[in-house]
Amino acid sequence: MNGRALVGRNVRRLRVALGLTQEALAVDAGLDRSYVGRIERATENPTVDVLDQLAAALTVESCEVLRRPEDGELPPAKMKAGRRPNIV
């Protein structure tokens, strides 16, 4: 797994575990929501400063954002989609 994919997986894993949306994490970290999405999709290459901001917002040490998954560890769960209630 390359570094960007590893960071994206861990940011998503930690964000979902805290029940945060990408938008909420972005606000807490002082980043743009679309930038957080691109980090999670591994299309951005965040700086060490950005990793520190994300780690602080996720209340973990910076090294946790770079943690390799254990053998057999499942990918992060998905959160319930959407911000608006379903209109029928």
Side-chain angles (χ1 to χ4, degrees):
M1 179 176 296
N2 72 40
R4 280 186 280 174
L6 185 63
V7 168
R9 177 187 175 111
N10 284 317
V11 168
R12 182 169 162 221
R13 174 181 60 82
L14 295 164
R15 176 181 63 78
V16 169
L18 291 174
L20 296 174
T21 63
Q22 286 180 348
E23 187 171 8
L25 175 57
V27 168
D28 291 349
L31 302 169
D32 185 81
R33 185 213 46 85
S34 62
Y35 185 58
V36 171
R38 291 192 308 268
I39 290 171
E40 288 188 6
R41 290 190 307 278
T43 59
E44 280 289 344
N45 189 17
T47 65
V48 173
D49 290 339
V50 169
L51 296 179
D52 284 341
Q53 287 172 252
L54 288 166
L58 293 164
T59 63
V60 297
E61 295 292 325
S62 298
C63 61
E64 188 64 23
V65 179
L66 296 169
R67 183 182 71 80
R68 292 224 174 261
E70 301 289 327
D71 288 339
E73 185 177 328
L74 297 174
K78 293 184 178 183
M79 288 184 65
K80 183 178 174 184
R83 289 185 270 174
R84 294 181 223 132
N86 291 334
I87 299 174
V88 180

Coordinates of all heavy atoms in Angstrom, one line a residue:
M1 N 0.9 -1.2 0.0 CA 0.0 0.0 0.0 C 0.9 1.2 0.0 O 1.8 1.3 0.8 CB -0.9 0.0 1.2 CG -1.8 1.1 1.4 SD -3.0 1.0 2.8 CE -3.9 -0.4 2.4
N2 N 0.6 2.2 -0.9 CA 1.5 3.4 -1.0 C 1.1 4.3 0.2 O 0.1 4.2 0.8 CB 1.4 4.0 -2.3 CG 0.1 4.7 -2.6 OD1 -0.5 5.4 -1.8 ND2 -0.3 4.6 -3.9
G3 N 2.0 5.3 0.4 CA 1.8 6.2 1.5 C 0.5 7.0 1.5 O -0.2 7.2 2.5
R4 N 0.1 7.5 0.3 CA -1.1 8.3 0.2 C -2.3 7.4 0.5 O -3.3 7.9 1.2 CB -1.3 8.9 -1.2 CG -0.4 10.2 -1.3 CD -0.7 10.8 -2.7 NE 0.1 10.1 -3.7 CZ 0.0 10.4 -5.0 NH1 -0.8 11.3 -5.4 NH2 0.8 9.7 -5.8
A5 N -2.3 6.2 0.0 CA -3.4 5.3 0.3 C -3.5 4.9 1.7 O -4.6 4.8 2.3 CB -3.3 4.0 -0.6
L6 N -2.4 4.8 2.4 CA -2.3 4.4 3.8 C -2.9 5.6 4.6 O -3.7 5.4 5.5 CB -0.8 4.2 4.2 CG -0.6 3.7 5.6 CD1 -1.2 2.4 5.9 CD2 0.9 3.6 5.8
V7 N -2.4 6.8 4.3 CA -3.0 8.0 5.0 C -4.5 8.1 4.8 O -5.2 8.3 5.8 CB -2.2 9.3 4.5 CG1 -3.0 10.5 5.0 CG2 -0.8 9.3 5.0
G8 N -4.9 8.0 3.6 CA -6.4 8.1 3.3 C -7.2 7.1 4.0 O -8.2 7.4 4.6
R9 N -6.7 5.8 4.1 CA -7.4 4.8 4.8 C -7.5 5.1 6.3 O -8.5 4.9 6.9 CB -6.7 3.4 4.6 CG -7.2 2.3 5.3 CD -6.3 1.0 5.2 NE -6.8 0.0 6.0 CZ -7.3 -1.2 5.6 NH1 -7.4 -1.4 4.3 NH2 -7.7 -2.1 6.4
N10 N -6.4 5.5 6.9 CA -6.4 5.8 8.3 C -7.2 7.0 8.7 O -7.9 7.0 9.7 CB -4.9 6.0 8.8 CG -4.3 4.6 8.9 OD1 -4.8 3.7 9.4 ND2 -3.0 4.5 8.5
V11 N -7.1 8.1 7.8 CA -8.0 9.3 8.1 C -9.4 8.9 8.1 O -10.2 9.2 9.0 CB -7.7 10.4 7.1 CG1 -8.7 11.5 7.2 CG2 -6.3 11.0 7.4
R12 N -9.8 8.1 7.1 CA -11.2 7.7 7.0 C -11.6 6.8 8.2 O -12.6 6.9 8.8 CB -11.5 6.9 5.7 CG -12.9 6.5 5.6 CD -13.2 6.0 4.2 NE -14.4 5.2 4.2 CZ -14.5 4.1 3.5 NH1 -13.6 3.7 2.7 NH2 -15.7 3.5 3.6
R13 N -10.7 5.8 8.5 CA -10.9 4.9 9.7 C -11.2 5.7 11.0 O -12.1 5.4 11.7 CB -9.8 3.9 9.8 CG -9.8 3.0 11.0 CD -8.6 2.1 11.1 NE -7.3 2.8 11.2 CZ -6.8 3.3 12.3 NH1 -7.5 3.2 13.4 NH2 -5.6 3.9 12.3
L14 N -10.3 6.6 11.2 CA -10.4 7.4 12.5 C -11.6 8.3 12.5 O -12.3 8.5 13.5 CB -9.1 8.2 12.7 CG -7.8 7.3 12.9 CD1 -6.6 8.1 12.7 CD2 -7.9 6.7 14.3
R15 N -11.9 8.9 11.3 CA -13.0 9.8 11.2 C -14.3 9.1 11.4 O -15.2 9.6 12.2 CB -13.0 10.5 9.8 CG -14.2 11.4 9.5 CD -14.1 12.0 8.2 NE -14.2 11.1 7.1 CZ -15.3 10.5 6.6 NH1 -16.5 10.7 7.2 NH2 -15.3 9.6 5.6
V16 N -14.5 8.0 10.8 CA -15.7 7.2 10.9 C -15.9 6.7 12.3 O -16.9 6.7 12.9 CB -15.7 6.0 9.9 CG1 -16.8 5.0 10.2 CG2 -15.9 6.6 8.5
A17 N -14.7 6.3 13.0 CA -14.8 5.8 14.4 C -15.3 6.9 15.3 O -16.0 6.6 16.3 CB -13.4 5.3 14.8
L18 N -15.0 8.1 15.0 CA -15.5 9.2 15.8 C -16.9 9.7 15.4 O -17.4 10.6 16.0 CB -14.5 10.4 15.7 CG -13.1 10.2 16.4 CD1 -12.2 11.3 16.1 CD2 -13.3 10.0 17.9
G19 N -17.4 9.2 14.3 CA -18.7 9.6 13.8 C -18.7 11.0 13.2 O -19.7 11.7 13.1
L20 N -17.5 11.4 12.6 CA -17.4 12.7 12.0 C -17.6 12.6 10.5 O -17.2 11.7 9.9 CB -16.0 13.3 12.2 CG -15.6 13.6 13.7 CD1 -14.1 14.0 13.7 CD2 -16.5 14.7 14.2
T21 N -18.2 13.7 10.0 CA -18.3 13.8 8.5 C -17.0 14.4 8.0 O -16.2 14.9 8.8 CB -19.5 14.7 8.1 OG1 -19.2 16.0 8.6 CG2 -20.8 14.2 8.6
Q22 N -16.8 14.3 6.7 CA -15.6 15.0 6.2 C -15.6 16.5 6.4 O -14.6 17.1 6.7 CB -15.5 14.7 4.7 CG -15.1 13.3 4.3 CD -15.0 13.1 2.8 OE1 -15.5 13.9 2.0 NE2 -14.4 12.0 2.4
E23 N -16.8 17.0 6.4 CA -17.0 18.5 6.6 C -16.6 18.8 8.0 O -15.9 19.8 8.3 CB -18.4 18.9 6.3 CG -18.6 20.4 6.3 CD -19.9 20.8 5.8 OE1 -20.8 20.0 5.5 OE2 -20.1 22.0 5.7
A24 N -17.1 18.0 9.0 CA -16.8 18.3 10.4 C -15.3 18.2 10.7 O -14.7 19.0 11.4 CB -17.6 17.4 11.3
L25 N -14.7 17.1 10.1 CA -13.2 17.0 10.3 C -12.5 18.1 9.7 O -11.5 18.6 10.3 CB -12.8 15.6 9.7 CG -11.3 15.4 9.7 CD1 -10.7 15.4 11.1 CD2 -10.9 14.1 9.0
A26 N -12.9 18.5 8.5 CA -12.2 19.6 7.8 C -12.3 20.9 8.6 O -11.3 21.6 8.8 CB -12.9 19.9 6.4
V27 N -13.5 21.2 9.2 CA -13.6 22.4 10.1 C -12.7 22.3 11.3 O -12.0 23.2 11.6 CB -15.1 22.6 10.5 CG1 -15.2 23.6 11.6 CG2 -15.9 23.0 9.3
D28 N -12.7 21.1 11.9 CA -11.9 20.9 13.1 C -10.4 21.0 12.8 O -9.6 21.5 13.6 CB -12.2 19.6 13.8 CG -13.5 19.5 14.4 OD1 -14.2 20.5 14.5 OD2 -13.9 18.4 14.7
A29 N -10.0 20.6 11.6 CA -8.6 20.6 11.2 C -8.2 21.9 10.5 O -7.0 22.1 10.2 CB -8.3 19.4 10.3
G30 N -9.1 22.8 10.2 CA -8.8 24.0 9.5 C -8.5 23.8 8.0 O -7.7 24.5 7.5
L31 N -9.2 22.8 7.4 CA -8.9 22.5 6.0 C -10.2 22.6 5.2 O -11.3 22.6 5.8 CB -8.4 21.0 5.9 CG -7.1 20.7 6.7 CD1 -6.8 19.2 6.7 CD2 -5.9 21.5 6.1
D32 N -10.1 22.5 3.9 CA -11.3 22.5 3.1 C -11.8 21.1 3.0 O -11.1 20.1 2.9 CB -10.8 23.0 1.7 CG -12.0 23.1 0.7 OD1 -12.7 24.1 0.8 OD2 -12.2 22.2 -0.1
R33 N -13.2 21.0 3.0 CA -13.8 19.7 3.0 C -13.4 18.8 1.7 O -13.1 17.6 1.8 CB -15.3 19.8 3.0 CG -16.0 18.4 3.1 CD -17.3 18.3 2.4 NE -17.4 18.8 1.1 CZ -17.0 18.2 0.0 NH1 -16.6 16.9 0.1 NH2 -17.1 18.7 -1.2
S34 N -13.3 19.5 0.6 CA -12.9 18.7 -0.6 C -11.5 18.2 -0.5 O -11.2 17.2 -1.1 CB -13.2 19.6 -1.9 OG -12.3 20.7 -1.8
Y35 N -10.6 19.0 0.2 CA -9.3 18.5 0.4 C -9.2 17.3 1.2 O -8.5 16.3 0.9 CB -8.5 19.7 1.0 CG -7.0 19.4 1.1 CD1 -6.2 19.1 0.0 CD2 -6.4 19.4 2.4 CE1 -4.8 18.9 0.2 CE2 -5.0 19.2 2.5 CZ -4.3 18.9 1.4 OH -2.9 18.7 1.6
V36 N -10.0 17.2 2.3 CA -10.1 16.0 3.1 C -10.6 14.8 2.3 O -10.0 13.7 2.4 CB -11.0 16.3 4.4 CG1 -11.3 15.0 5.1 CG2 -10.4 17.3 5.3
G37 N -11.6 15.1 1.4 CA -12.1 14.0 0.6 C -11.0 13.5 -0.4 O -10.9 12.3 -0.6
R38 N -10.2 14.4 -0.9 CA -9.1 14.0 -1.8 C -8.0 13.2 -1.1 O -7.4 12.3 -1.6 CB -8.6 15.2 -2.6 CG -9.5 15.8 -3.6 CD -8.9 16.8 -4.5 NE -8.2 17.9 -3.8 CZ -8.7 19.0 -3.4 NH1 -10.0 19.3 -3.7 NH2 -7.9 19.9 -2.8
I39 N -7.8 13.6 0.2 CA -6.8 12.9 1.0 C -7.3 11.4 1.2 O -6.6 10.5 1.0 CB -6.6 13.6 2.3 CG1 -5.8 14.9 2.1 CG2 -5.8 12.6 3.3 CD1 -5.7 15.7 3.4
E40 N -8.6 11.3 1.6 CA -9.2 10.0 1.8 C -9.2 9.1 0.5 O -9.1 7.9 0.6 CB -10.6 10.1 2.4 CG -10.6 10.5 3.8 CD -12.0 10.5 4.4 OE1 -12.9 9.9 3.8 OE2 -12.1 10.9 5.6
R41 N -9.3 9.7 -0.6 CA -9.3 9.0 -1.9 C -7.9 8.8 -2.4 O -7.7 8.3 -3.5 CB -10.1 9.7 -3.0 CG -11.6 9.7 -2.7 CD -12.4 10.2 -3.9 NE -12.0 11.5 -4.3 CZ -12.4 12.7 -3.8 NH1 -13.2 12.7 -2.7 NH2 -12.0 13.8 -4.3
A42 N -6.9 9.3 -1.7 CA -5.4 9.2 -2.1 C -5.1 9.9 -3.4 O -4.2 9.5 -4.1 CB -5.0 7.7 -2.1
T43 N -5.8 11.0 -3.6 CA -5.4 11.8 -4.8 C -4.6 13.0 -4.4 O -4.2 13.8 -5.3 CB -6.7 12.2 -5.6 OG1 -7.5 13.0 -4.8 CG2 -7.4 11.0 -6.2
E44 N -4.5 13.3 -3.1 CA -3.7 14.4 -2.6 C -2.5 13.8 -1.9 O -2.6 12.7 -1.3 CB -4.5 15.3 -1.6 CG -5.4 16.3 -2.3 CD -4.7 17.4 -3.0 OE1 -3.5 17.7 -2.7 OE2 -5.4 18.1 -3.8
N45 N -1.4 14.6 -1.8 CA -0.2 14.2 -1.1 C 0.0 15.3 0.0 O 0.6 16.3 -0.2 CB 1.0 14.2 -2.0 CG 2.2 13.6 -1.4 OD1 2.1 13.0 -0.4 ND2 3.3 13.9 -2.0
P46 N -0.7 15.0 1.2 CA -0.6 16.1 2.3 C 0.8 16.2 2.9 O 1.5 15.3 2.9 CB -1.6 15.5 3.3 CG -1.6 14.1 3.1 CD -1.4 13.9 1.6
T47 N 1.0 17.5 3.3 CA 2.3 17.7 4.0 C 2.3 17.2 5.4 O 1.2 16.8 5.9 CB 2.5 19.3 4.0 OG1 1.5 19.9 4.9 CG2 2.5 19.9 2.6
V48 N 3.4 17.2 6.0 CA 3.5 16.8 7.4 C 2.7 17.7 8.3 O 2.0 17.3 9.2 CB 5.0 16.8 7.9 CG1 5.1 16.5 9.4 CG2 5.8 15.7 7.1
D49 N 2.6 19.0 8.0 CA 1.8 20.0 8.7 C 0.3 19.6 8.7 O -0.4 19.6 9.7 CB 2.0 21.4 8.3 CG 3.4 21.9 8.6 OD1 4.1 21.4 9.6 OD2 3.9 22.9 8.0
V50 N -0.1 19.2 7.5 CA -1.5 18.8 7.3 C -1.8 17.5 8.1 O -2.9 17.4 8.7 CB -1.9 18.7 5.8 CG1 -3.2 18.0 5.6 CG2 -1.9 20.0 5.1
L51 N -0.9 16.6 8.0 CA -1.1 15.3 8.8 C -1.2 15.7 10.3 O -2.0 15.1 11.0 CB 0.1 14.4 8.6 CG 0.2 13.8 7.1 CD1 1.4 12.9 7.0 CD2 -1.1 13.1 6.7
D52 N -0.4 16.6 10.8 CA -0.4 17.0 12.2 C -1.8 17.7 12.5 O -2.4 17.4 13.6 CB 0.7 18.0 12.5 CG 2.0 17.4 12.7 OD1 2.1 16.1 12.9 OD2 3.0 18.1 12.6
Q53 N -2.3 18.5 11.6 CA -3.6 19.1 11.8 C -4.7 18.1 11.8 O -5.6 18.1 12.7 CB -3.9 20.1 10.6 CG -3.1 21.4 10.7 CD -3.3 22.2 9.4 OE1 -2.5 22.3 8.6 NE2 -4.5 22.8 9.3
L54 N -4.7 17.1 10.9 CA -5.7 16.0 10.9 C -5.6 15.2 12.2 O -6.6 14.9 12.8 CB -5.5 15.1 9.7 CG -5.9 15.8 8.4 CD1 -5.4 14.9 7.2 CD2 -7.4 15.9 8.3
A55 N -4.4 14.8 12.6 CA -4.2 14.0 13.8 C -4.8 14.8 15.0 O -5.4 14.2 15.9 CB -2.7 13.7 14.0
A56 N -4.5 16.1 15.1 CA -5.0 16.8 16.3 C -6.5 16.9 16.3 O -7.1 16.7 17.3 CB -4.4 18.3 16.2
A57 N -7.1 17.1 15.1 CA -8.6 17.1 15.0 C -9.2 15.7 15.3 O -10.3 15.6 15.8 CB -9.0 17.5 13.6
L58 N -8.4 14.6 15.0 CA -8.9 13.3 15.3 C -8.5 12.8 16.7 O -8.8 11.7 17.1 CB -8.3 12.3 14.2 CG -8.9 12.5 12.8 CD1 -8.0 11.8 11.8 CD2 -10.3 12.1 12.7
T59 N -7.8 13.7 17.4 CA -7.3 13.4 18.8 C -6.5 12.1 18.9 O -6.7 11.3 19.8 CB -8.5 13.4 19.8 OG1 -9.4 12.3 19.5 CG2 -9.3 14.7 19.9
V60 N -5.5 12.0 18.0 CA -4.6 10.9 18.0 C -3.2 11.5 17.7 O -3.0 12.6 17.3 CB -4.9 9.8 16.9 CG1 -6.2 9.2 17.1 CG2 -4.8 10.4 15.5
E61 N -2.2 10.7 18.0 CA -0.8 11.0 17.6 C -0.6 11.0 16.1 O -1.3 10.2 15.4 CB 0.2 10.1 18.3 CG 0.2 10.1 19.8 CD 0.7 11.4 20.3 OE1 1.7 12.0 19.7 OE2 0.2 11.9 21.4
S62 N 0.2 11.8 15.6 CA 0.5 11.9 14.1 C 0.8 10.5 13.6 O 0.4 10.2 12.4 CB 1.6 12.9 13.8 OG 1.2 14.2 14.2
C63 N 1.6 9.7 14.3 CA 2.0 8.4 13.8 C 0.8 7.5 13.5 O 0.9 6.6 12.7 CB 3.0 7.7 14.8 SG 2.3 7.4 16.4
E64 N -0.3 7.7 14.2 CA -1.5 6.9 13.9 C -2.1 7.0 12.5 O -2.7 6.1 12.0 CB -2.6 7.2 15.0 CG -3.8 6.3 15.0 CD -3.5 4.9 15.4 OE1 -2.5 4.6 16.0 OE2 -4.3 4.0 15.0
V65 N -1.8 8.2 11.9 CA -2.3 8.4 10.6 C -1.5 7.6 9.5 O -1.9 7.4 8.4 CB -2.2 10.0 10.2 CG1 -2.6 10.3 8.8 CG2 -3.1 10.7 11.2
L66 N -0.3 7.2 10.0 CA 0.6 6.4 9.1 C 0.7 4.9 9.5 O 1.4 4.1 8.9 CB 2.0 7.0 9.1 CG 2.1 8.4 8.6 CD1 3.5 8.9 8.9 CD2 1.9 8.4 7.1
R67 N -0.2 4.5 10.4 CA -0.2 3.1 10.9 C -0.6 2.1 9.8 O -1.5 2.3 9.0 CB -1.2 2.9 12.0 CG -1.2 1.5 12.6 CD -2.2 1.4 13.7 NE -3.6 1.4 13.3 CZ -4.2 0.3 12.8 NH1 -3.6 -0.8 12.6 NH2 -5.5 0.4 12.4
R68 N 0.2 1.1 9.6 CA -0.1 0.0 8.6 C -1.2 -0.9 9.2 O -1.2 -1.2 10.4 CB 1.1 -0.9 8.4 CG 2.2 -0.1 7.6 CD 2.8 -1.0 6.5 NE 3.7 -0.2 5.7 CZ 3.4 0.4 4.6 NH1 2.2 0.2 4.1 NH2 4.3 1.0 3.9
P69 N -2.2 -1.3 8.4 CA -3.2 -2.2 8.9 C -2.7 -3.5 9.3 O -1.7 -4.0 8.7 CB -4.2 -2.3 7.7 CG -3.4 -1.8 6.5 CD -2.3 -1.0 7.0
E70 N -3.3 -4.1 10.3 CA -2.9 -5.5 10.7 C -3.3 -6.5 9.6 O -4.2 -6.2 8.8 CB -3.7 -5.9 12.0 CG -3.4 -4.9 13.2 CD -2.0 -5.1 13.7 OE1 -1.5 -6.3 13.7 OE2 -1.4 -4.1 14.2
D71 N -2.7 -7.6 9.5 CA -3.1 -8.7 8.6 C -4.6 -9.0 8.8 O -5.0 -9.3 9.9 CB -2.3 -9.9 8.7 CG -0.8 -9.7 8.3 OD1 -0.6 -8.8 7.4 OD2 0.0 -10.5 8.7
G72 N -5.3 -9.0 7.7 CA -6.8 -9.3 7.8 C -7.7 -8.2 8.3 O -8.9 -8.4 8.4
E73 N -7.1 -7.0 8.6 CA -7.9 -5.9 9.0 C -8.8 -5.4 7.9 O -8.3 -5.2 6.8 CB -7.0 -4.8 9.5 CG -7.8 -3.6 10.1 CD -6.8 -2.5 10.7 OE1 -5.7 -2.9 11.1 OE2 -7.2 -1.4 10.6
L74 N -10.1 -5.3 8.2 CA -11.0 -4.9 7.1 C -10.9 -3.4 6.9 O -10.5 -2.6 7.7 CB -12.5 -5.2 7.6 CG -12.8 -6.6 7.8 CD1 -14.2 -6.8 8.4 CD2 -12.7 -7.4 6.5
P75 N -11.3 -2.9 5.7 CA -11.2 -1.5 5.4 C -12.2 -0.8 6.3 O -13.1 -1.4 6.8 CB -11.6 -1.4 3.9 CG -11.9 -2.8 3.4 CD -11.7 -3.7 4.5
P76 N -12.1 0.5 6.4 CA -13.0 1.3 7.3 C -14.4 1.2 6.8 O -14.7 1.1 5.6 CB -12.5 2.7 7.1 CG -11.2 2.7 6.5 CD -11.1 1.4 5.8
A77 N -15.3 1.2 7.8 CA -16.7 1.1 7.5 C -17.2 2.4 6.8 O -16.5 3.5 7.0 CB -17.5 0.8 8.7
K78 N -18.3 2.4 6.1 CA -18.8 3.6 5.5 C -19.9 4.2 6.5 O -20.6 3.4 7.2 CB -19.5 3.3 4.2 CG -18.5 2.9 3.1 CD -19.2 2.7 1.8 CE -18.1 2.3 0.8 NZ -18.7 2.2 -0.6
M79 N -19.9 5.5 6.5 CA -20.9 6.1 7.3 C -22.2 6.2 6.5 O -22.2 6.1 5.3 CB -20.5 7.6 7.7 CG -19.4 7.5 8.7 SD -18.9 9.2 9.3 CE -20.4 9.8 10.1
K80 N -23.3 6.5 7.2 CA -24.6 6.7 6.5 C -24.5 7.8 5.5 O -24.0 8.9 5.9 CB -25.7 7.0 7.5 CG -27.1 7.1 7.0 CD -28.1 7.3 8.1 CE -29.4 7.6 7.5 NZ -30.4 8.0 8.5
A81 N -24.9 7.6 4.3 CA -24.7 8.6 3.2 C -25.7 9.7 3.4 O -26.8 9.6 3.9 CB -24.9 7.9 1.9
G82 N -25.3 10.9 2.8 CA -26.2 12.0 2.7 C -26.4 12.9 3.9 O -26.1 12.5 5.0
R83 N -26.7 14.1 3.6 CA -26.9 15.1 4.7 C -28.4 15.5 4.8 O -28.9 16.0 5.8 CB -26.2 16.4 4.4 CG -24.7 16.2 4.5 CD -24.0 17.5 4.3 NE -23.7 17.7 2.9 CZ -23.2 18.7 2.4 NH1 -22.9 19.8 3.1 NH2 -22.9 18.8 1.1
R84 N -29.2 15.2 3.8 CA -30.6 15.6 3.8 C -31.5 14.4 4.0 O -31.1 13.3 3.6 CB -31.0 16.1 2.4 CG -30.3 17.4 2.1 CD -30.7 17.9 0.7 NE -29.5 18.4 0.1 CZ -29.1 18.1 -1.1 NH1 -29.8 17.4 -1.9 NH2 -28.0 18.6 -1.6
P85 N -32.6 14.6 4.7 CA -33.5 13.5 4.9 C -34.1 13.0 3.6 O -34.2 13.8 2.6 CB -34.6 14.0 5.8 CG -34.5 15.5 5.6 CD -33.1 15.8 5.2
N86 N -34.4 11.7 3.5 CA -35.0 11.2 2.3 C -36.4 11.7 2.1 O -37.2 11.7 3.0 CB -35.1 9.6 2.3 CG -33.8 9.0 2.3 OD1 -32.8 9.5 1.7 ND2 -33.7 7.8 2.8
I87 N -36.7 12.2 0.9 CA -38.0 12.8 0.6 C -38.7 11.8 -0.4 O -38.1 11.5 -1.5 CB -37.8 14.2 0.0 CG1 -37.2 15.1 1.0 CG2 -39.2 14.7 -0.5 CD1 -36.8 16.5 0.4
V88 N -39.8 11.4 0.0 CA -40.5 10.4 -0.9 C -41.7 11.1 -1.6 O -42.3 11.9 -1.2 CB -41.1 9.2 0.0 CG1 -41.8 8.2 -0.9 CG2 -39.9 8.6 0.7

